Amino acid sequence: MTVEKTRKHIAQTKELIDDLKAVCANYGLGNDGNEFKIITQIFLYKYLNDKFTYELRKVKPEIFKSEDWVEALKALPEDEYKKLEFQIESDIAFLKPEHFIPYLFNRQDQPDFAKRLDETLLDIAATNNDLFAVTTPDGVKIRLFEPITEYVSSKRDAFAKALINKLVNDINFEDVMTEGFDFFSTIFEYLIKDYNNDAGGKYAEYYTPHAVSKIMAAILVPEPVENVTIFDPSAGSGTLLMTLAHAIGANKCTVYSQDISQKSSNLLRLNLVLNNLVHSIQNVIQGNTMTNPYHRGKTFNYIVSNPPFKLDFSDDIDELNKKVNQERFFAGIPNVPKKAKSKMAIYSMFLQHIMYSLDKNKGKAAIVIPTGFITAQSGIDKKIREEMIARNMLAGVVSMPSNIFATTGTNVSIVFLDTQNDGNVVLIDASNLGRTVKDGKNQKTVLDPKEEQQIIETFINNDAIDDFSVVVSYDDIKAKNYSLSAGQYFEVKIEYVDITGEEFDSKLKDFESNLNLLFAESDKLEKEINDNLNALRYD
């Protein structure tokens, strides 16, 4: 896709979002958490319309010669319309004539229009439930759409009309359907700044910075691969999975995920739909990965994760402790702090789960962890590092700049695992890269593309660069008490300058003279202070 075309569609996407936000604001939902649901669902409804229309033009071009193509479509015999299910690609939502935006637009003045809009969305979800439903571990199916007009307390018909009217403007996404345009990142990044507050919900927790996801994917997949599985046990909205899938190719990988949040699972489903990965929606699981891992027993070729660093899972401790001796939690379960239960090191649980879930023959992983993990002198963190070495699976660590995540002050690193590692471990200290920018009330560090590429190429090429990277062996790491901090392996260089005996004596005399002057000044100050103290009187 050309730069001009990309800019055009980014602008159109933002324009539609702004239009939908204006509607929500006019009906009392401005910056409301439900506003996010409404905008993303209405945008998805628009996308599915344009996607189906794009495919329909290829198999039934004569339909669009009609002045009202939706009515022409509706006039088709029932058996002929059903044949379209076999003619149109199987990973596309199949729509009935009454599901199309123009059909609703022409009926917006009929009674109970809000009910008609909600029922249309629910019927699309029911018609395509096998393709688009997210599953919970106990088998419950979470459908694609939910009623959206119920979020306004009055004037529901007017609200529904206003939404539909925003969808019949000149914005059409048909011409970008095969271009690989990333709708989701445009939607999410554009909306995120409005909802990263207490009133709108902390949606930022679901989004990993582009630089981090790009570095992880590029290092994991330096060469083309096919027919592989990718997994994220704490998937959020799926940023890491989507970046990795694009690096591999959407038709060359199958996505698996689990996340405890229904909101996150719904966002991930949206992400999969918008990124031509509908075939993987059946593998999206909403549930607790730690206590009820749905994909347990299956191993994966690639695993990416930005697990929660601090999360209260004290209610799950008893159940987890029953499993502490199992292979999955070989290093143990973190203790419950007496205070601040929200500061439990849950990431160590995810690290162990990822090591357990990685394909033993051809498995690679990249995990975002707090930088403190790489130097901990005892406890679960050190046990995990020791096990990474014992299994010959540690490939390297990249320590990122501070504030790479605008929403947290925690310094982060990325641990890379490879079950076929050759014994070399690449340690990179990228903490001095990037520039600081303002992101709302927060400061964040942004890497430019050259810096991102520097990290990627240094890792892939196993390059050792002064004060930036080092390549060490497993024995080297053991000798350093399993520290994975690049700085501890850098050579300390002392520069020597040859001088004559006369120059040495001259410098020494200068030092002595300067010291004498400083001592004299010190004596003078000491006398002045004592004189001032003695002069003090109480009146």
Side-chain angles (χ1 to χ4, degrees):
M1 186 188 302
T2 64
V3 173
E4 292 76 14
K5 199 170 186 179
T6 299
R7 287 174 178 167
K8 171 190 172 184
H9 287 292
I10 289 175
Q12 286 185 328
T13 302
K14 290 182 177 180
E15 180 184 343
L16 179 55
I17 291 171
D18 285 338
D19 286 345
L20 296 175
K21 282 177 64 64
V23 172
C24 290
N26 288 338
Y27 288 86
L29 295 171
N31 265 6
D32 184 281
N34 292 319
E35 179 188 27
F36 188 89
K37 295 181 183 179
I38 293 167
I39 291 173
T40 52
Q41 290 208 49
I42 286 293
F43 189 96
L44 179 57
Y45 172 54
K46 163 70 173 170
Y47 175 86
L48 294 179
N49 262 257
D50 288 355
K51 183 84 168 177
F52 189 88
T53 305
Y54 170 79
E55 294 297 329
L56 187 63
R57 287 185 193 278
K58 293 193 292 186
V59 299
K60 282 282 184 184
E62 66 275 12
I63 288 289
F64 295 90
K65 295 178 181 178
S66 172
E67 185 174 337
D68 190 338
W69 64 267
V70 175
E71 288 300 322
L73 194 65
K74 191 172 177 58
L76 288 176
E78 185 177 351
D79 59 340
E80 187 175 347
Y81 196 88
K82 284 186 175 180
K83 288 180 182 178
L84 292 175
E85 289 192 59
F86 304 98
Q87 295 174 290
I88 288 177
E89 290 187 22
S90 59
D91 63 347
I92 293 172
F94 189 78
L95 304 184
K96 303 172 185 177
E98 58 269 26
H99 292 159
F100 286 100
I101 292 169
Y103 184 89
L104 288 182
F105 177 77
N106 291 333
R107 287 156 180 79
Q108 61 179 293
D109 291 327
Q110 294 180 2
D112 296 324
F113 182 68
K115 182 180 179 182
R116 180 187 286 271
L117 174 58
D118 286 342
E119 288 178 346
T120 297
L121 296 179
L122 293 175
D123 194 42
I124 292 174
T127 302
N128 299 278
N129 199 47
D130 290 343
L131 187 62
F132 290 104
V134 169
T135 307
T136 64
D138 54 5
V140 174
K141 298 284 188 179
I142 304 171
R143 290 186 171 181
L144 184 63
F145 291 115
E146 59 186 65
I148 60 173
T149 66
E150 64 183 22
Y151 294 118
V152 293
S153 55
S154 62
K155 299 182 179 179
R156 291 177 60 195
D157 284 348
F159 176 63
K161 290 179 186 179
L163 291 174
I164 287 297
N165 282 323
K166 295 302 182 184
L167 302 184
V168 291
N169 54 21
D170 295 331
I171 296 176
N172 190 313
F173 296 119
E174 285 187 54
D175 64 340
V176 77
M177 290 302 167
T178 60
E179 300 283 356
F181 175 64
D182 189 355
F183 285 100
F184 186 84
S185 65
T186 302
I187 296 170
F188 204 79
E189 289 180 353
Y190 193 55
L191 283 172
I192 194 67
K193 62 182 182 297
D194 296 323
Y195 301 104
N196 187 22
N197 56 58
D198 292 337
K202 298 178 181 177
Y203 288 89
E205 65 187 279
Y206 304 117
Y207 194 79
T208 303
H210 174 72
V212 175
S213 58
K214 176 184 175 182
I215 289 168
M216 292 168 71
I219 290 175
L220 286 177
V221 191
E223 298 176 351
V225 295
E226 292 189 17
N227 193 28
V228 295
T229 55
I230 64 178
F231 174 54
D232 188 339
S234 55
S237 63
T239 304
L240 292 176
L241 285 170
M242 295 307 100
T243 307
L244 182 58
H246 281 302
I248 295 170
N251 61 338
K252 297 178 181 179
C253 65
T254 304
V255 176
Y256 293 80
S257 73
Q258 188 162 348
D259 196 282
I260 198 169
S261 166
Q262 182 174 330
K263 183 190 301 177
S264 293
S265 298
N266 288 339
L267 289 171
L268 173 56
R269 173 171 53 188
L270 171 62
N271 214 346
L272 290 169
V273 172
L274 298 180
N275 283 279
N276 295 318
L277 285 158
V278 172
H279 63 273
S280 292
I281 290 179
Q282 61 183 333
N283 304 321
V284 175
I285 304 301
Q286 186 255 306
N288 189 326
T289 305
M290 294 298 96
T291 59
N292 196 3
Y294 185 86
H295 301 297
R296 185 178 180 180
K298 182 175 180 61
T299 58
F300 303 93
N301 300 120
Y302 295 92
I303 301 178
V304 286
S305 182
N306 176 18
F309 291 177
K310 301 172 182 178
L311 185 68
D312 179 9
F313 62 98
S314 56
D315 291 341
D316 300 327
I317 285 293
D318 289 342
E319 185 175 354
L320 288 169
N321 278 328
K322 294 176 184 177
K323 307 172 183 180
V324 71
N325 294 322
Q326 296 187 14
E327 183 183 354
R328 190 162 71 113
F329 297 133
F330 59 86
I333 311 293
N335 293 323
V336 179
K338 293 181 180 179
K339 297 181 179 179
K341 292 182 180 180
S342 62
K343 294 185 177 180
M344 300 173 73
I346 191 173
Y347 67 86
S348 65
M349 304 286 292
F350 278 94
L351 271 167
Q352 295 175 80
H353 180 76
I354 288 167
M355 292 171 67
Y356 172 79
S357 304
L358 201 58
D359 186 282
K360 302 300 183 290
N361 297 315
K362 294 183 179 180
K364 291 185 176 183
I367 313 105
V368 180
I369 44 90
T371 295
F373 166 84
I374 67 177
T375 56
Q377 293 300 300
S378 61
I380 292 175
D381 287 359
K382 187 180 179 185
K383 288 180 182 178
I384 294 173
R385 298 201 309 273
E386 290 172 343
E387 190 66 17
M388 289 176 178
I389 301 299
R391 297 187 193 180
N392 297 328
M393 68 190 320
L394 178 66
V397 176
V398 178
S399 295
M400 300 297 288
S402 299
N403 300 318
I404 197 76
F405 287 80
T407 55
T408 176
T410 304
N411 290 336
V412 303
S413 295
I414 308 170
V415 170
F416 291 89
L417 305 178
D418 184 350
T419 56
Q420 289 195 326
N421 186 40
D422 60 6
N424 288 326
V425 179
V426 183
L427 304 178
I428 296 177
D429 181 0
S431 60
N432 293 321
L433 299 184
R435 57 187 175 86
T436 301
V437 299
K438 190 78 171 175
D439 185 14
K441 296 180 180 179
N442 301 311
Q443 298 278 349
K444 75 174 180 179
T445 301
V446 177
L447 298 175
D448 66 41
K450 288 183 179 179
E451 291 174 321
E452 294 172 0
Q453 201 58 34
Q454 179 186 3
I455 295 171
I456 294 165
E457 291 179 358
T458 298
F459 196 106
I460 292 174
N461 297 330
N462 282 11
D463 289 336
I465 301 173
D466 287 349
D467 298 326
F468 181 71
S469 65
V470 65
V471 181
V472 297
S473 68
Y474 290 143
D475 287 338
D476 293 331
I477 293 174
K478 291 176 185 177
K480 290 284 188 181
N481 199 24
Y482 294 90
S483 171
L484 306 182
S485 173
Q488 293 196 23
Y489 297 86
F490 290 156
E491 290 185 16
V492 177
K493 297 183 178 180
I494 302 175
E495 294 185 1
Y496 295 92
V497 179
D498 291 331
I499 60 175
T500 64
E502 290 80 6
E503 290 173 328
F504 177 79
D505 291 339
S506 176
K507 285 182 178 293
L508 195 59
K509 288 179 180 179
D510 287 341
F511 292 148
E512 290 176 352
S513 177
N514 287 335
L515 278 173
N516 289 333
L517 288 173
L518 290 172
F519 289 151
E521 184 68 21
S522 176
D523 291 341
K524 180 181 177 183
L525 288 173
E526 184 180 351
K527 184 177 184 305
E528 288 181 1
I529 291 171
N530 284 326
D531 290 344
N532 287 333
L533 287 173
N534 291 330
L536 291 175
R537 295 289 185 272
Y538 176 75
D539 295 327

